[in-house]
Amino acid sequence: MDEKTYQIAERIVQLHRKAYEAYLPLIEDVCSRISQKMNCHICLIMYWILLVMRKYWDCIKECVEDICIYILVVLRVILKHIGKFGKMKGSVISACQFGKL
């Protein structure tokens, strides 16, 4: 290998080392910021999903409570009418009248 080619190759290696030393911390900094940003976005998305699920759960819970109340009212009316006609008497009717059912 002639001397000029060797010097060019040596200069390229030195430039590579300097670039590596200068840019590696910058690249690591940028990558860590991207990672932190992604973590932040993931946390925000998870928080939003939990909020939506909470609102959905509250809505379902309210609907179920309303349905249960409606079922109890209808059951009391039915049992009251059955009791009036004398077809069914006993603990079921008294439990409905006292609000235990």
Side-chain angles (χ1 to χ4, degrees):
M1 203 175 354
D2 78 358
E3 188 63 31
K4 280 190 164 186
T5 308
Y6 181 76
Q7 288 174 351
I8 292 172
E10 186 63 35
R11 183 73 180 143
I12 290 172
V13 169
Q14 289 173 356
L15 287 173
H16 180 267
R17 272 194 210 123
K18 284 182 181 179
Y20 185 80
E21 290 170 2
Y23 290 110
L24 180 64
L26 297 173
I27 291 171
E28 287 176 346
D29 183 46
V30 168
C31 289
S32 70
R33 287 183 190 176
I34 290 171
S35 175
Q36 289 171 358
K37 251 186 170 176
M38 289 303 293
N39 288 341
C40 183
H41 287 302
I42 290 169
C43 289
L44 287 173
I45 290 169
M46 289 175 62
Y47 180 71
W48 182 80
I49 288 170
L50 290 174
L51 281 176
V52 169
M53 288 174 60
R54 175 64 185 234
K55 290 207 179 267
Y56 179 75
W57 174 248
D58 289 343
C59 181
I60 295 295
K61 183 179 166 187
E62 188 176 315
C63 290
V64 168
E65 287 172 352
D66 291 344
I67 290 170
C68 287
I69 290 170
Y70 181 75
I71 289 171
L72 287 175
V73 169
V74 170
L75 184 61
R76 283 184 186 149
V77 169
I78 291 171
L79 291 176
K80 187 176 182 181
H81 285 286
I82 290 174
K84 281 184 181 178
F85 294 112
K87 293 182 181 177
M88 182 177 187
K89 292 186 178 180
S91 62
V92 176
I93 295 172
S94 60
C96 286
Q97 289 173 346
F98 294 113
K100 295 179 182 175
L101 188 65

